[in-house]
């Protein structure tokens, strides 16, 4: 399937193996390495041994084909790396993939019958599964008996319970207990490594809740091929009973995927140990984690949260709760994108962000949330600071006895640095951690001055390979949020867990929200950033995502009246006008924002349709109806906040993918195009049709353009966006 915008990484030398997506840095390294290698002769290449770069896990170097064998580049394994990405040598041998029981590469040598000259095998586990250390019990529960200092990784979704002994997992220390910890480990992200610290007996159990999450692959290719999917059908359902798979070596990994391990470097471990409370006075320490994009801020924050909840130090018991101030609207950990939140975490975090993005998740209580109606603070820097300060004040009132972790966005230059300095000045944390040892120097100098010598620099952990872009992960998080709900667990030990519905949103019954009359469900519609004319408002919000904001006090509208001489300083009145359809518009001529001290976001909603005849909106939201009704009964108003949320193209195409799933190839991978790799833009709302042309070509899908075969989009069809050089190159 061709595409005019298909990203190509063409350099000198033979064609490269197909890779779903790579970062720009890795692409440049690949092209440079390919160009340098083309200058040497074939004889020299045959004698040279591949040497990894400083980052020992380089998917691009691993996927580099052999120049002496260019006839079949697809046979080059995606696991041809000679070291694990934790920097320790792995057991690497060569041989074909076995068709029988999964084997670990440990113990194999050059005389092994598995050795051939085509593929290198990487060991991810330090032991082999055998009858002496592995037993399958009733219900599919796998019991492992391991010695001290063993390690292994598991792909999929599973429950883990330590029967005897002790293990570490994603920064957490798990000891013998009756409770089961649930882990979501898709291979589109780094897999956590399970290590035993003493002789241990543990149980791995299937996750019944994975069925709904896995079946989201029927509705979007973003959720396909990310679990233990050997033998998976095209609709995302698995043909095997196990919801997880122990990855002993690269032979066990699914086809065309790269296994990355969640690594905590020695410098990280040292800093994590130093942040454990040594006395009761340090149990409410505030730590700010900052740094460039993709440097490991979220990963470090997750490891620190897990360690605080499970590790003891100097006789101090682990803390019961950790407060997380999530200030990255583009990649939040516990809430949907476009929001800032204060979260009370009571259980270790063993899942990807799209597995716990619900407001009602029992494991993570969202104490307070605000929406920027955008995935970047560049749209409203002043609002970003106001929301962050209000969330911090909420922490001071409600969770002051808990340690606080502040995760910040990766915007560190120009205005982004000003925002970071403002945050540090207002919060005054005990520790500021900057996730890069490579500067920029001026940024580090400013942070040192601001943090008063409490700044620590840690090495970054960028990933050179990613099967999903930042825009993809945002779409996955929003899609998971709208399909999630809280259900009862099948195990008595876990009363409630997050579940997912695999039905298209178009088949869900929407809420009918009246916007006129005596029984109005909303006070009005407020727009941030761009104020559209009244005759275009209906077209602007139809099919878009809005934030549902609860107005706690009428003072929330005071900033909207700023500059209005007729309004009193303490007046909370608001001017509301109507469109031709009767939609109530909250006037905002100066592009101001609600005062976050007197309002909060309770969820996101998708405007499915506008019924101008009955004066109502058709709204889809996972927010329980009981919460919405309680707000109305208590006399508070609701406002729909419209702004620059990502376009929910995934919602428009769910029906399309659900109907075409039966005709698609089971091994069809996600296609990455050039526009998908931009972190500032969402994916184009375009669907390419090949096998299902006869069924889909005649379908009319709102807001979706269906391209058949090699058909291309016309010139100028992409959305034109205004470039904002806020604070760059010394400009205002």
């Amino acid at each position: 399937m061709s595409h005019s915008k298909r990203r190509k990484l063409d350099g000198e030398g033979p064609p490269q193996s197909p890779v779903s997506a790579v970062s720009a840095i890795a692409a440049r390294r690949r092209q440079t390495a390919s160009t340098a290698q083309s200058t040497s002769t074939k004889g020299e290449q045959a004698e040279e041994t591949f040497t990894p770069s400083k980052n020992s896990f380089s998917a691009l170097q691993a996927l580099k084909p052999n120049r002496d064998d260019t006839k079949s580049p697809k046979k080059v394994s995606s696991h041809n790396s000679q070291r694990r990405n934790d920097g320790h040598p792995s057991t690497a041998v060569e041989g074909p993939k076995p068709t029988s029981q999964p084997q670990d590469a440990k113990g194999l040598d050059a005389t092994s019958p598995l050795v051939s000259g085509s593929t290198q095998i990487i060991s991810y586990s330090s032991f082999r599964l055998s009858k002496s250390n592995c037993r399958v019990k009733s219900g599919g529960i796998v019991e492992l008996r391991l010695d001290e200092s063993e390690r292994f990784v598991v792909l999929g979704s599973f429950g883990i319970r330590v029967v005897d002994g002790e293990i570490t997992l994603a920064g957490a220390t798990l000891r013998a207990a009756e409770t089961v910890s649930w882990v979501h480990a898709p291979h589109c992200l780094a897999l956590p490594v399970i290590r035993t610290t003493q002789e241990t007996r543990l149980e791995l159990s299937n996750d019944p809740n994975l069925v709904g999450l896995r079946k989201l692959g029927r509705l979007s290719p973003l959720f396909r091929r990310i679990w233990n999917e050997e033998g998976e059908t095209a609709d995302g359902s698995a043909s095997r009973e196990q919801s997880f798979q122990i990855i002993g070596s690269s032979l066990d990994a699914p086809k065309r995927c790269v296994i990355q391990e969640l690594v905590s470097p020695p410098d990280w471990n040292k800093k994590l140990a130093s942040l454990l409370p040594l006395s009761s006075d340090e149990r409410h320490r505030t730590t700010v984690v900052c740094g460039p994009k993709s440097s490991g801020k979220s990963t470090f924050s997750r490891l620190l949260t897990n360690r605080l909840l499970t590790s003891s130090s100097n006789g101090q018991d682990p803390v019961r709760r950790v407060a997380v101030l999530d200030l990255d609207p583009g990649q939040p950990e516990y809430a949907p994108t476009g929001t800032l939140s204060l979260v009370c975490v009571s259980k270790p975090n063993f899942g990807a962000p799209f597995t716990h993005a619900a407001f009602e998740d029992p494991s993570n209580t969202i104490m307070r949330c605000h929406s920027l109606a955008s995935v970047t603070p560049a749209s409203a820097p002043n609002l970003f600071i106001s929301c962050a300060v209000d969330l911090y004040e909420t922490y001071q009132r409600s969770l002051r006895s808990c340690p606080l972790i502040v995760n910040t966005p990766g915007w560190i230059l120009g205005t982004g640095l000003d925002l970071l300095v403002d945050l540090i000045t207002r919060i005054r944390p005990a520790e500021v951690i900057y996730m890069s040892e490579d500067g920029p120097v001026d940024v580090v100098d400013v942070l040192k001055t601001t943090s008063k010598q409490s700044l620590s620099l840690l090495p970054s952990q960028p990933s050179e390979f990613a099967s999903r872009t930042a825009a993809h992960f945002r779409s996955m998080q929003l899609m998971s949020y709208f399909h999630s709900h809280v259900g009862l667990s099948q195990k008595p030990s876990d009363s409630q867990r997050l579940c997912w519905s695999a039905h298209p949103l178009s088949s869900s019954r929407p809420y009918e929200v009246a916007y006129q009359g005596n029984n109005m469900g909303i006070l009005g519609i407020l727009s941030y950033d761009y104020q559209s004319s009244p005759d275009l408002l209906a077209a602007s919000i139809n099919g878009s995502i809005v934030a549902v904001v609860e107005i706690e006090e009428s003072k929330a509208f005071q900033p909207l009246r700023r500059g209005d001489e007729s309004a009193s300083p303490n007046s909370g009145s608001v001017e509301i006008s109507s469109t031709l359809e009767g939609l109530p518009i909250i006037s905002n001529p100066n592009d101001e924002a609600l005062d976050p001290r007197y309002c909060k976001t309770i969820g996101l909603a998708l405007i499915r349709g506008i019924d101008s005849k009955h004066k109502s909106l058709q709204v889809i939201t996972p927010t329980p109806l009981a919460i919405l009704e309680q707000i109305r009964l208590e006399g508070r108003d609701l406002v729909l906040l419209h702004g620059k949320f990502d376009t929910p193209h995934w919602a428009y195409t769910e029906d399309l993918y659900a109907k075409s799933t039966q005709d698609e190839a089971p091994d069809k991978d996600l296609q990455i195009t050039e526009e998908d790799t931009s972190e500032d833009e969402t994916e184009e709302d375009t669907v390419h049709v090949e096998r299902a042309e006869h069924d889909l070509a005649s379908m009319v899908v709102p807001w979706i353009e269906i391209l058949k075969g090699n058909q291309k989009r016309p010139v100028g069809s992409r959305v034109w966006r205004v470039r904002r050089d806020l604070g760059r190159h010394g400009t205002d």
Side-chain angles (χ1 to χ4, degrees):
M1 183 167 62
S2 62
H3 195 288
S4 60
K5 294 292 186 179
R6 184 73 53 83
R7 186 175 186 180
K8 297 180 179 180
L9 301 176
D10 294 332
E12 298 181 17
Q16 306 293 331
S17 299
V19 180
S20 297
V22 292
S23 63
I25 297 177
R28 288 194 293 269
R29 290 180 178 176
R30 179 176 183 172
Q31 188 172 10
T32 302
S34 178
T35 303
Q37 189 176 12
S38 64
T39 59
S40 61
T41 64
K42 292 185 177 180
E44 294 173 340
Q45 293 168 1
E47 298 175 356
E48 290 180 355
T49 301
F50 171 71
T51 302
S53 62
K54 183 178 181 180
N55 185 350
S56 56
F57 183 85
S58 174
L60 292 175
Q61 294 171 341
L63 290 171
K64 188 180 297 181
N66 189 346
R67 285 183 175 273
D68 295 333
D69 186 14
T70 59
K71 295 182 180 180
S72 180
K74 292 185 179 180
K75 293 183 180 179
V76 179
S77 172
S78 60
H79 309 285
N80 287 353
S81 177
Q82 295 184 356
R83 292 175 178 265
R84 294 196 304 261
N85 57 329
D86 58 359
H88 300 292
S90 63
T91 305
V93 298
E94 298 178 348
K97 184 172 182 177
T99 57
S100 58
Q101 289 283 347
Q103 299 186 36
D104 193 287
K106 184 177 180 180
L108 299 178
D109 53 27
T111 63
S112 171
L114 289 180
V115 173
S116 70
S118 59
T119 305
Q120 290 186 349
I121 304 173
I122 303 175
S123 173
Y124 297 109
S125 299
S126 59
F127 60 92
R128 288 186 181 186
L129 294 178
S130 63
K131 293 182 179 180
S132 61
N133 61 18
C134 178
R135 181 168 68 99
V136 180
K137 302 168 63 177
S138 61
I141 297 177
V142 177
E143 182 182 82
L144 298 177
R145 296 176 179 265
L146 304 177
D147 296 329
E148 182 181 356
S149 301
E150 300 284 12
R151 71 183 312 274
F152 65 102
V153 296
V154 181
L155 172 63
S157 185
F158 58 96
I160 184 169
R161 184 176 79 90
V162 178
V163 181
D164 293 311
E166 182 180 272
I167 65 171
T168 60
L169 170 64
T173 301
L174 302 182
R175 303 172 182 86
E178 292 296 327
T179 58
V180 177
S181 299
W182 296 100
V183 184
H184 297 286
H187 65 70
C188 60
L189 296 170
L191 300 183
V193 180
I194 303 174
R195 292 182 172 89
T196 61
T197 58
Q198 54 185 268
E199 188 173 339
T200 301
R201 181 163 64 99
L202 58 89
E203 293 179 347
L204 303 177
S205 55
N206 291 311
D207 187 358
N209 288 5
L210 179 65
V211 176
L213 184 60
R214 185 190 292 267
K215 284 187 176 181
L216 290 182
R218 296 176 57 250
L219 311 179
S220 172
L222 295 173
F223 283 92
R224 298 177 189 173
R225 299 282 171 196
I226 61 176
W227 308 101
N228 55 313
E229 295 172 338
E230 185 176 354
E232 185 192 68
T233 59
D235 63 355
S237 60
S239 61
R240 61 172 66 191
E241 296 180 357
Q242 293 292 111
S243 66
F244 63 92
Q245 177 187 2
I246 299 177
I247 306 296
S249 70
S250 54
L251 298 177
D252 305 325
K255 298 178 181 179
R256 295 186 299 276
C257 85
V258 175
I259 297 296
Q260 301 183 74
E261 296 177 340
L262 181 61
V263 177
S264 179
D267 290 342
W268 285 27
N269 292 331
K270 183 178 179 180
K271 175 53 67 174
L272 290 170
S274 68
L275 293 176
L276 294 178
L278 300 177
S279 63
S280 58
D281 296 335
E282 296 182 356
R283 297 180 71 87
H284 54 274
R285 181 200 303 265
T286 299
T287 304
V288 172
V289 183
C290 58
K293 292 181 180 180
S294 303
S295 58
K297 299 184 298 297
S298 298
T299 301
F300 183 86
S301 299
R302 188 182 312 122
L303 296 177
L304 177 57
T305 301
N306 292 346
R307 179 164 290 202
L308 289 172
L309 288 171
T310 60
S311 299
S312 58
S313 178
N314 198 27
Q316 295 289 323
D317 294 332
V319 298
R320 294 178 178 268
R321 300 181 300 173
V322 175
V324 177
L325 185 53
D326 201 343
L327 301 181
D328 189 352
Q331 294 179 328
E333 182 68 37
Y334 298 102
T337 58
T339 62
L340 311 179
S341 59
L342 174 66
V343 187
C344 179
V345 183
S346 56
K347 296 182 179 180
N349 179 4
F350 296 137
F354 61 81
T355 63
H356 48 248
F359 276 69
E360 291 76 32
D361 191 341
S363 301
N364 316 301
T365 304
I366 296 183
M367 306 296 295
R368 192 171 180 85
C369 180
H370 295 302
S371 176
L372 299 182
S374 175
V375 296
T376 171
S379 299
N382 293 333
L383 176 60
F384 174 80
I385 290 295
S386 299
C387 293
V389 171
D390 177 72
L391 295 175
Y392 179 70
E393 292 176 351
T394 303
Y395 160 77
Q396 292 279 37
R397 293 191 300 266
S398 306
L399 300 172
R400 191 170 185 176
S401 60
C402 303
L404 175 65
I405 301 174
V406 184
N407 186 27
T408 60
W411 191 21
I412 59 169
L413 300 177
T415 305
L417 179 59
D418 296 338
L419 295 178
L420 185 56
V421 169
D422 198 354
L423 279 176
I424 295 175
T425 303
R426 294 171 183 263
I427 296 178
R428 291 177 295 178
E431 189 84 26
V432 177
I433 299 176
Y434 186 75
M435 302 299 299
S436 176
E437 294 179 334
D438 300 325
V441 178
D442 54 341
V443 173
V444 176
D445 291 341
V446 171
L447 293 178
K448 284 183 179 179
T449 304
T450 306
S451 57
K452 303 185 186 304
Q453 305 303 319
S454 64
L455 179 69
S456 300
L457 304 184
L458 292 180
S460 60
Q461 283 281 77
S463 175
E464 290 191 354
F465 180 90
S467 62
R468 304 293 188 274
T469 65
H472 289 147
F473 281 120
R474 290 198 301 267
S475 297
M476 294 175 70
Q477 196 155 347
L478 278 177
M479 184 174 175
S480 173
Y481 167 75
F482 275 94
H483 284 270
S484 64
H485 64 278
V486 177
L488 295 178
S489 175
Q490 297 181 4
K491 291 183 175 294
S493 58
D494 297 317
S495 57
Q496 286 185 327
R497 287 191 62 204
L498 206 60
C499 303
W500 290 267
S501 170
H503 300 290
L505 292 182
S506 58
S507 65
S508 302
R509 186 175 180 179
Y511 294 149
E512 289 278 347
V513 181
Y515 58 78
Q516 272 194 4
N518 297 327
N519 195 27
M520 291 178 57
I522 60 172
L523 178 64
I525 301 170
L526 177 64
S527 295
Y528 280 179
D529 191 57
Y530 177 74
Q531 305 299 318
S532 61
S533 59
D535 57 326
L536 296 178
L537 180 64
S540 299
I541 67 171
N542 194 16
S544 65
I545 291 178
V546 295
V548 183
V549 180
E550 176 188 349
I551 305 300
E552 298 170 307
E553 295 185 29
S554 59
K555 294 180 181 179
F557 298 109
Q558 286 183 4
L560 306 184
R561 303 299 303 274
R562 194 170 296 154
D564 188 353
E565 298 179 356
S566 62
S568 60
N570 297 324
S571 173
S573 61
V574 59
E575 180 182 349
I576 300 178
S577 58
S578 298
T579 66
L580 296 177
E581 297 82 6
L583 292 171
I585 307 177
I586 298 178
S587 179
N588 188 16
N590 299 320
D591 189 20
E592 296 290 344
L594 297 171
D595 193 330
R597 295 175 296 177
Y598 308 110
C599 64
K600 65 179 180 180
T601 297
I602 62 172
L604 301 185
L606 175 63
I607 306 297
R608 176 180 170 177
I610 302 175
D611 189 348
S612 57
K613 180 179 179 181
H614 297 90
K615 307 299 180 184
S616 64
L617 298 173
Q618 295 181 359
V619 177
I620 297 177
T621 177
T623 304
L625 181 61
I627 294 179
L628 301 175
E629 291 179 341
Q630 183 65 28
I631 293 174
R632 299 296 297 162
L633 289 176
E634 294 176 357
R636 295 190 294 274
D637 294 318
L638 292 176
V639 170
L640 298 184
L641 181 59
H642 174 248
K644 295 182 64 178
F645 287 104
D646 284 342
T647 303
H649 53 84
W650 48 267
Y652 309 154
T653 57
E654 285 184 349
D655 268 319
L656 196 66
Y657 283 119
K659 293 177 181 178
S660 63
T661 296
Q662 56 186 352
D663 294 324
E664 289 188 4
D667 59 349
K668 187 172 183 180
D669 288 330
L670 175 68
Q671 296 294 325
I672 308 296
T673 57
E674 184 177 4
E675 53 264 26
D676 296 338
T677 61
S678 172
E679 297 201 5
D680 298 326
E681 301 174 3
T682 58
E683 303 166 70
E684 295 293 335
D685 303 336
T686 306
V687 174
H688 284 265
V689 180
E690 288 186 348
R691 289 182 174 85
E693 286 185 10
H694 58 285
D695 294 329
L696 304 181
S698 59
M699 293 183 61
V700 178
V701 183
W703 304 294
I704 293 296
E705 180 182 6
I706 300 179
L707 302 182
K708 297 179 293 183
N710 296 330
Q711 184 179 354
K712 302 177 182 179
R713 301 194 70 191
V715 177
S717 59
R718 294 183 63 185
V719 178
W720 289 29
R721 292 177 172 85
V722 179
R723 179 175 179 177
R724 298 191 171 193
D725 292 325
L726 295 177
R728 292 184 178 180
H729 308 297
T731 60
D732 295 330

